[in-house]
């Protein structure tokens, strides 16, 4: 086994939303950092746009999906919004298997590449608020986060100013809170018409523009690039981390063992602090696989809660034709176009229920919507398309969990993840709620609904009226495979934050209760979910946690031996 000839102040595992920001913050605060990424480095060739093709009918892409399937992406090719550009950044499923119960399928969208899913996400960045952080105090379900919006606000500011976010200070919208924007976000003509129709009938449903990140034309994640510019960041790509190692004398994490992705050679690295930001499921999998004599049930798992309270968002989706607006608007609202990715932008309808002092009857938490109109290329003479999707906040439940499949291993011999997640009663109510509100808004706007579906299946047997019977039959099979749990790509929980080591895995600065020099600042640490995407909150948590790490590392507080704790 090869061992690095130096000890780092901190080792970060994962280079996506959390890991890249941690790399920036830790190095800028003076720490020598090693960043381990399981996939390859980004190269210019990865971002060569595919050859232009004439616009095609939406909803199929069977040939492109079939090619991806044959390349080994039999899971990744099932996602709703398939594209040739983002698909190249996702994993080969034969090499990276996982398991689920037969009665609880889960679609895990994964990326192993410098930047992770930052290379394939929609770039929508929204803040969470005390509607999320303190939800349990209002409705009695689950538990509150150990942080408030006041705690998180300066870190949201810091991350937004660094990333560059476009958005508007929308009147009458307090959740999600407005941010620090570098420029306005615009709506297309069909989106403006939809906004006005919804306001006419449902004034409480505010249709606003996306709040989204500026394009990253440098391709290397901005946080990683900032870390490299300090001269204190070492990046090791193709490093598939097998386990985090623990000093048996102190009980502290002291490094990691990784396998080279290409030649399968084994390597050992040492560090004073270990930061795990490998993405929710990978983070849990790694902590479980790092079990040792001192921690036989996995790291950060003395109370047995690691992997428990795993959550996602309940998803629904509708696509419509809008005869009032023929063609494609070609809306490009960015000051600088990205030659690789299509223009971003669209509409948001933030949560409008259970945000005031009075709670709704019949359900807790709520739903929100995100979509776009006039931004999809369509064949000449065809009406423009409008897509709108809903998400509901899943409640955290002990019965939903991630662990490892001891008899299923990946290409590098590491036990795969086993994922179990099912909808609870309130979750199903919110899905039905989404479907009702989707249909009523789209019908009131006067659009031709081509389909409405959700994790519960298609909402109507009548789909794509302009398709032939064979196309409709193929679509019905495909959409039910695509809109399963996991389709939102917003999984979180499993190493949740809290104020009490008996009921949580990490504390309010993402520090493991059991191992004080082990930090988990990614989606796994979420105490509850939200109706907004998790990316911005992950980045803010990573920045906040990193400031704490740097301060504690300086005075040696993180080097104190741990005590065995029994619950």
């Amino acid at each position: 086994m090869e061992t690095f000839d130096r000890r780092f102040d901190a080792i970060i595992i994962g280079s996506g939303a959390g890991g890249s920001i941690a790399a920036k913050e830790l190095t800028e605060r003076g720490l020598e950092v090693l960043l381990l990424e399981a996939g390859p480095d980004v190269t210019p060739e990865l971002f060569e746009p595919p050859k232009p093709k004439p616009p095609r009918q939406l909803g199929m892409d069977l040939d492109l999906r079939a090619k991806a399937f044959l390349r080994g992406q039999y899971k990744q090719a099932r996602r709703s919004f398939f594209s040739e550009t983002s698909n190249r950044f996702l994993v080969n499923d034969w090499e990276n298997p996982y398991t689920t119960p037969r009665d609880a399928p889960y679609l895990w969208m994964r990326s192993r590449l410098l930047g992770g899913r930052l290379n394939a996400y929609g770039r929508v960045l929204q803040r969470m608020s005390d509607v999320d952080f303190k939800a349990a105090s209002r409705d009695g379900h689950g538990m509150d986060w150990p942080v408030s919006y006041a705690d998180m606000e300066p870190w949201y500011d810091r991350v937004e100013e660094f990333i560059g976010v476009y958005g508007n200070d929308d009147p009458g919208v307090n959740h999600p809170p407005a941010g620090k924007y570098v420029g306005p976000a615009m709506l297309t003509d069909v989106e403006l018409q939809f906004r006005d129709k919804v306001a006419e009938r449902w004034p409480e449903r505010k249709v606003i523009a996306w709040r989204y990140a500026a394009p990253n034309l440098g391709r290397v994640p901005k946080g990683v690039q900032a870390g490299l510019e300090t001269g204190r960041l070492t990046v090791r790509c193709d490093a598939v981390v097998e386990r985090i190692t623990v000093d048996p004398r102190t009980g502290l994490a002291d490094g990691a063992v990784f396998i080279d992705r290409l030649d399968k050679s084994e390597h050992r690295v040492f560090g004073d602090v270990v930061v795990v930001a490998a993405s929710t499921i990978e983070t849990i999998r790694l902590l479980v696989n790092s079990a040792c004599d001192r921690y036989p049930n996995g790291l950060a798992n003395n109370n047995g809660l690691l992997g428990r309270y795993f959550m996602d968002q309940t998803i629904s989706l509708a696509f419509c034709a809008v005869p009032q607006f023929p063609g494609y608007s070609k809306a490009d609202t960015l000051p600088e176009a990205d030659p690789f990715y299509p223009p971003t932008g669209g509409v948001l309808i933030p949560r409008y229920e259970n945000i005031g002092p009075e709670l709704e009857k019949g359900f807790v938490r709520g739903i929100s919507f995100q979509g776009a109109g006039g931004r999809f290329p369509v064949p000449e003479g065809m009406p423009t398309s409008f897509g709108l999707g809903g998400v509901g906040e899943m409640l955290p439940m002990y019965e939903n969990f991630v662990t490892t499949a001891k008899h299923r291993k990946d290409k590098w011999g590491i036990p795969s993840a086993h994922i179990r997640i099912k909808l609870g009663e309130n979750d199903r109510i919110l899905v039905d709620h989404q479907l009702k509100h989707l249909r009523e808004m789209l019908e009131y706007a006067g659009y031709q609904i081509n389909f409405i579906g959700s994790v519960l299946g298609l909402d109507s047997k009548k789909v794509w009226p302009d398709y032939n019977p064979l196309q409709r039959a193929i679509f019905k099979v495909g959409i039910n495979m695509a809109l399963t749990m996991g389709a939102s790509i917003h999984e979180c929980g499993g190493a949740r934050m809290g104020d009490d080591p008996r009921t949580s895995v990490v504390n309010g600065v993402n520090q493991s209760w059991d191992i004080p020099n082990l930090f988990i600042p990614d989606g796994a640490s979420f105490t509850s979910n939200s109706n907004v995407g998790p990316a911005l909150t992950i980045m803010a948590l990573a920045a906040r946690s990193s400031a704490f790490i740097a301060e504690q590392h300086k005075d040696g507080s993180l080097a104190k031996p741990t005590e065995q704790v029994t619950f």
Side-chain angles (χ1 to χ4, degrees):
M1 180 191 298
E2 179 186 348
T3 302
F4 275 46
D5 59 0
R6 59 181 292 196
R7 183 182 182 94
F8 294 88
D9 295 326
I11 296 172
I12 301 171
I13 302 170
S15 63
S20 62
I21 293 297
K24 168 189 180 293
E25 294 291 338
L26 291 173
T27 54
E28 289 181 349
R29 295 172 191 275
L31 274 68
E32 295 287 336
V33 175
L34 172 65
L35 177 65
L36 299 177
E37 165 54 50
D41 197 354
V42 292
T43 61
E45 294 75 24
L46 275 172
F47 294 90
E48 290 182 0
K51 294 180 180 179
K53 297 182 178 68
R56 56 170 61 202
Q57 196 171 20
L58 288 172
M60 299 297 282
D61 292 325
L62 292 179
D63 56 336
L64 301 179
R65 291 176 186 269
K67 290 177 181 178
F69 184 94
L70 293 173
R71 288 195 301 267
Q73 293 182 303
Y74 60 90
K75 296 281 191 181
Q76 312 304 307
R78 285 169 45 187
R79 70 190 186 282
S80 302
F81 292 95
F82 183 92
S83 74
E84 285 185 281
T85 51
S86 62
N87 206 63
R88 65 184 69 177
F89 303 130
L90 303 179
V91 300
N92 180 300
D93 294 302
W94 292 115
E95 297 177 353
N96 297 276
Y98 62 95
T99 64
T100 66
R102 289 189 177 183
D103 62 345
Y106 188 83
L107 193 57
W108 182 15
M109 296 291 99
R110 307 171 65 184
S111 178
R112 285 190 162 185
L113 175 73
L114 189 67
R117 289 192 311 212
L118 290 179
N119 294 292
Y121 82 134
R123 303 212 310 270
V124 179
L125 295 178
Q126 302 177 74
R127 298 183 177 204
M128 293 170 66
S129 76
D130 284 336
V131 168
D132 303 304
F133 298 130
K134 305 304 175 185
S137 290
R138 300 184 69 244
D139 60 35
H141 290 267
M143 69 181 194
D144 286 339
W145 291 55
V147 297
S148 66
Y149 181 68
D151 297 323
M152 295 298 295
E153 185 176 18
W155 301 102
Y156 281 135
D157 289 351
R158 183 175 177 86
V159 170
E160 286 174 338
E161 290 171 346
F162 170 66
I163 295 292
V165 178
Y166 290 83
N168 307 311
D169 189 359
D170 302 290
V173 176
N174 297 314
H175 174 76
K180 300 286 187 180
Y181 302 128
V182 296
M186 306 298 182
L187 298 177
T188 64
D189 48 7
V190 64
E191 291 165 352
L192 289 169
Q193 189 254 9
F194 177 74
R195 179 197 66 184
D196 294 343
K197 293 295 288 185
V198 171
E200 175 183 291
R201 176 65 179 80
W202 300 278
E204 75 281 4
R205 303 181 191 180
K206 307 294 184 183
V207 180
I208 64 174
W210 283 15
R211 298 166 178 180
Y212 59 88
N216 178 19
L217 299 179
R219 306 312 182 197
V220 173
K222 290 184 176 181
V224 174
Q225 184 59 42
L228 290 171
E229 289 170 3
T230 68
R232 289 185 284 271
L233 178 64
T234 301
V235 177
R236 176 56 156 91
C237 291
D238 298 315
V240 181
V241 179
E242 179 185 44
R243 65 187 185 276
I244 298 163
T245 56
V246 172
D247 185 329
R249 297 169 299 126
T250 64
L252 296 172
D254 65 359
V257 172
F258 70 84
I259 300 169
D260 187 282
R261 182 180 67 90
L262 301 175
D263 65 19
K264 295 187 178 180
S265 57
E266 198 170 81
H267 303 260
R268 179 82 161 87
V269 292
F270 291 92
D272 297 341
V273 178
V274 176
V275 178
V276 191
S279 84
T280 296
I281 298 170
E282 283 284 23
T283 287
I284 299 167
R285 176 193 178 204
L286 175 59
L287 293 168
V288 173
N289 281 329
S290 299
C292 58
D293 290 343
R294 178 130 183 169
Y295 304 109
N297 297 318
L299 304 190
N301 197 29
N302 281 350
N303 58 15
L305 292 181
L306 178 64
R308 296 289 179 176
Y309 302 103
F310 176 64
M311 298 166 285
D312 210 318
Q313 291 176 336
T314 58
I315 190 170
S316 59
L317 181 63
F319 255 95
C320 305
V322 187
Q324 306 96 305
F325 293 89
Y328 171 43
S329 71
K330 299 181 181 177
D332 186 354
T333 60
L334 296 173
E336 188 174 13
D338 189 318
F340 181 73
Y341 296 101
T344 194
V347 295
L348 295 170
I349 306 178
R351 178 169 148 186
Y352 44 88
E353 297 165 311
N354 281 330
I355 57 175
E358 297 295 324
L359 296 179
E360 301 287 337
K361 294 181 180 179
F363 63 90
V364 298
R365 312 296 163 91
I367 61 175
S368 63
F369 297 91
Q370 178 178 315
R375 299 175 188 267
F376 310 100
V378 295
E380 187 174 351
M382 297 286 289
T384 196
S385 292
F386 188 90
L388 190 65
V391 294
E393 178 180 342
M394 285 194 73
L395 294 178
M397 295 191 296
Y398 179 85
E399 297 79 11
N400 290 333
F401 64 87
V402 174
T403 185
T404 56
K406 299 300 183 184
H407 303 295
R408 189 74 181 272
K409 297 183 178 181
D410 65 17
K411 181 180 178 180
W412 299 271
I414 302 171
S416 301
H418 178 74
I419 305 164
R420 188 275 187 194
I421 185 168
K422 291 185 179 181
L423 298 179
E425 181 181 357
N426 193 74
D427 306 328
R428 290 179 175 273
I429 292 172
L430 291 185
V431 175
D432 289 336
H433 207 47
Q434 292 171 51
L435 295 172
K436 176 179 180 290
H437 289 206
L438 267 177
R439 185 172 292 280
E440 66 187 15
M441 287 189 290
L442 298 173
E443 287 180 346
Y444 189 79
Y447 301 163
Q448 173 190 303
I449 298 175
N450 289 321
F451 78 89
I452 299 179
S454 73
V455 291
L456 300 180
L458 282 169
D459 190 46
S460 172
K461 292 182 179 179
K462 185 178 180 180
V463 299
W464 294 102
D466 297 331
Y467 280 12
N468 63 46
L470 177 60
Q471 288 175 313
R472 282 196 291 270
I474 293 172
F475 175 81
K476 287 179 179 180
V477 172
I479 197 65
N480 285 324
M481 294 173 65
L483 291 182
T484 188
M485 289 305 302
S488 70
I489 321 180
H490 288 164
E491 68 274 6
C492 61
R496 65 179 182 170
M497 303 173 75
D499 287 320
D500 189 336
R502 295 170 298 180
T503 58
S504 56
V505 175
V506 298
N507 64 17
V509 288
N510 298 84
Q511 181 184 30
S512 162
W513 291 111
D514 302 342
I515 306 174
N517 69 336
L518 176 68
F519 292 79
I520 309 171
D522 71 358
S525 70
F526 279 33
T527 309
S528 63
N529 211 326
S530 176
N531 301 115
V532 306
L536 183 61
T537 298
I538 291 171
M539 294 177 188
L541 288 172
R544 185 171 181 266
S545 177
S546 296
F548 176 82
I549 292 170
E551 178 183 313
Q552 296 290 302
H553 185 267
K554 186 182 300 183
D555 65 17
S557 298
L558 299 178
K560 296 177 180 178
T562 67
E563 296 181 3
Q564 287 283 33
V565 180
T566 303
F567 295 95

